[in-house]
Amino acid sequence: MRPKAIWQLVVSVLIGLAIVVGLGSSVGEQRIARADEGSDTKLSKNDQQVREHARRMIAEGEGTFRFDTFGDEAFWGDTLGLHKAIEGTAFGGVGHGVSPRTALAVGLKVDVDALPQSFLEALKKGQVNLDAPATTLALLKLNAVVGLTGFFNQDGSMKSIGIQCALCHTAVDNSFAPGIGHRLDGWANRDLNVGAIVNLAPDLSVVAALLGVDEPTVRTVLAAWGPGKFDAELFLDGKAFRPDGKTAATLIPPAFGLPGVNLHTWTGWGSVTYWNAFVANLEMHGKGTFFDPRLNEFPVAARAGFGNVRPTPGTPDLITSKLAALHFYQLAIPAPKPPVGSFNEAAAERGKVIFNTQLGPQQVACATCHVPPLFTEPGWNMHTPAEVGIDDFQSDRAPDKRYRTSPLKGLWSHQTGGFYHDGRFATLLDVVNHYDGFQGLGLTAQDKNDLVEYLKSL
């Protein structure tokens, strides 16, 4: 074939491909538009089944995320007796009980949509006693305390209490009052003082026995966590404090904006569904199945048999069948968009250019690791401590001994408590300064400000 004919053939193929791609894009956009309109009338039977399956999975996953205890009330209530501390001696428990004011102070949230209008009106008029544990019990009976489910006896006293995923990974919009509003699933509850709440339990002997220490030591460790932090690895390796004496607990991460993100958690233990199974079985203490022989490398986990957890014979698995829908729902939660006026748009546009520009002697860009639009690496998104420029304490508590490139969308919504796994950088400017010095980027003060505004805009 003559060269001219070959080029004509190539051009024809390329034009054909362009047309096909264009048509594909157009068809895709049309189908998205139909989905936005909620119209399935023109879809094939199979496509309708796919969409119905998606709706069902989201509904089931939402219910699991918000309300399922996985049977963990056997631990939090029956074993630790946390419900007794909540109700207080006046209702057959122990101590003074927990009032709504105290509950809000330790970061618990109230779902305004679960409250009857009469209750809301009474709240507005100041007719609800927020200092009475009885009011807390009433809220639990209404299923209005986010992440907690109370189990009650016929006489109204508490029988037990369980927790849900939403306890740590749901905030509220404060639309009614601080701590009271509509649910914001997937948001990290950085107000939640998990350690203080668990410390209320009258009996922590099981936890003490697991860690091989006495109860006062356990309570000291829990008190050190502070708001917005939880130490999932404590029950694997028994390391309660960093070498510098600070708590080993890490910040509660958000659970939104995760589609396309390979590994979950600060140190990349596994995917989102892996971590759901891990937490439901080993941290929430639900009744299910979990397998990961890597846990046998950690002393506490090895003694407890956490690497291969199975339901007690005759006991149903209350977790495994719910993991798929839970995963589906979490992937459906978008990262929240920043409020209008919360960042400087002109500065953010300049910051975007800097974010994507290779700088410094190594010619690296922020976008080299935080690849748009995922803002993490597609694939294995892990880095050694040396690559990140920080110590290896937390990374060494995980199998791969690395840190994950955390996705950045919705970053504005979880600034409370600081940044990185342990909140070591109080502000976004501190993070930018760290990389400017570590990578030798040569950023000016204006560059740094613009980068911060861009990060706030994601």
Side-chain angles (χ1 to χ4, degrees):
M1 185 179 291
R2 290 178 298 175
K4 182 177 181 181
I6 293 175
W7 280 112
Q8 289 175 337
L9 176 61
V10 170
V11 170
S12 298
V13 170
L14 290 176
I15 292 174
L17 285 173
I19 293 173
V20 169
V21 170
L23 286 174
S25 175
S26 176
V27 171
E29 291 172 359
Q30 291 173 11
R31 296 177 76 84
I32 291 172
R34 280 209 304 270
D36 290 340
E37 295 170 0
S39 173
D40 288 349
T41 55
K42 295 182 179 180
L43 297 178
S44 70
K45 183 178 180 180
N46 183 71
D47 288 350
Q48 290 181 33
Q49 289 176 340
V50 170
R51 281 156 178 73
E52 180 55 37
H53 175 70
R55 295 189 190 99
R56 185 172 64 253
M57 291 283 278
I58 288 178
E60 290 178 3
E62 180 188 76
T64 298
F65 185 90
R66 293 184 175 186
F67 303 116
D68 207 312
T69 65
F70 306 117
D72 65 26
E73 60 272 13
F75 177 79
W76 299 102
D78 304 352
T79 300
L80 302 190
L82 185 58
H83 64 291
K84 295 179 180 178
I86 293 174
E87 61 183 357
T89 54
F91 295 91
V94 299
H96 300 292
V98 176
S99 68
R101 200 178 305 279
T102 299
L104 291 170
V106 295
L108 288 170
K109 306 298 182 184
V110 176
D111 179 5
V112 71
D113 295 312
L115 300 177
Q117 189 60 37
S118 57
F119 193 97
L120 292 173
E121 292 299 328
L123 268 177
K124 290 178 182 178
K125 296 176 182 178
Q127 297 173 346
V128 176
N129 188 350
L130 297 180
D131 295 306
T135 306
T136 302
L137 298 184
L139 290 170
L140 285 167
K141 290 176 180 177
L142 290 169
N143 213 14
V145 182
V146 175
L148 291 181
T149 293
F151 297 84
F152 292 86
N153 296 306
Q154 290 185 349
D155 63 3
S157 62
M158 288 194 78
K159 178 170 58 177
S160 192
I161 194 164
I163 67 174
Q164 292 98 32
C165 305
L167 178 65
C168 294
H169 299 289
T170 292
V172 296
D173 62 6
N174 302 319
S175 56
F176 186 87
I180 306 175
H182 305 290
R183 288 175 180 260
L184 298 171
D185 284 353
W187 289 47
N189 186 353
R190 294 285 175 84
D191 300 322
L192 188 69
N193 195 326
V194 180
I197 294 170
V198 178
N199 240 341
L200 293 173
D203 185 1
L204 292 176
S205 60
V206 170
V207 180
L210 174 67
L211 296 176
V213 298
D214 56 27
E215 284 195 58
T217 298
V218 172
R219 295 187 184 280
T220 298
V221 170
L222 293 171
W225 287 2
K229 288 188 174 182
F230 176 74
D231 191 356
E233 286 82 5
L234 174 64
F235 307 108
L236 305 180
D237 61 14
K239 298 178 181 179
F241 295 96
R242 296 167 47 91
D244 60 9
K246 295 181 180 179
T247 177
T250 59
L251 289 169
I252 297 171
F256 54 57
L258 296 177
V261 177
N262 180 29
L263 297 176
H264 195 38
T265 77
W266 304 114
T267 49
W269 277 78
S271 65
V272 177
T273 193
Y274 169 93
W275 201 249
N276 287 338
F278 180 104
V279 171
N281 283 281
L282 305 185
E283 308 294 342
M284 294 171 66
H285 298 276
K287 299 179 181 297
T289 303
F290 181 78
F291 180 74
D292 185 353
R294 297 178 301 173
L295 270 60
N296 294 326
E297 300 174 12
F298 300 90
V300 177
R303 290 198 307 269
F306 287 164
N308 189 1
V309 175
R310 307 286 168 168
T312 303
T315 302
D317 184 329
L318 300 179
I319 297 174
T320 304
S321 64
K322 300 162 186 172
L323 291 175
L326 177 60
H327 186 202
F328 199 96
Y329 176 63
Q330 286 170 304
L331 295 183
I333 303 174
K337 295 181 179 180
V340 175
S342 63
F343 63 94
N344 183 306
E345 293 187 15
E349 282 300 313
R350 295 193 298 269
K352 181 178 181 180
V353 174
I354 298 169
F355 187 90
N356 290 285
T357 299
Q358 293 181 342
L359 301 169
Q362 302 299 321
Q363 286 294 288
V364 295
C366 304
T368 301
C369 298
H370 296 281
V371 183
L374 294 178
F375 293 98
T376 187
E377 292 106 335
W380 199 60
N381 48 343
M382 302 292 292
H383 292 274
T384 65
E387 292 174 309
V388 184
I390 62 173
D391 64 272
D392 61 4
F393 174 76
Q394 192 64 27
S395 60
D396 278 354
R397 303 177 79 193
D400 290 323
K401 302 186 184 304
R402 285 169 167 79
Y403 292 104
R404 179 192 69 157
T405 301
S406 296
L408 302 178
K409 284 187 177 179
L411 194 62
W412 66 272
S413 68
H414 52 97
Q415 299 184 65
T416 300
F419 300 93
Y420 273 44
H421 58 282
D422 52 10
R424 65 181 60 199
F425 298 120
T427 67
L428 286 171
L429 180 58
D430 291 335
V431 177
V432 172
N433 281 330
H434 166 71
Y435 279 108
D436 181 44
F438 175 62
Q439 297 284 5
L441 302 180
L443 299 173
T444 66
Q446 182 67 60
D447 291 338
K448 294 175 182 179
N449 177 73
D450 292 346
L451 263 177
V452 167
E453 292 303 302
Y454 176 62
L455 293 171
K456 288 161 57 179
S457 75
L458 297 176

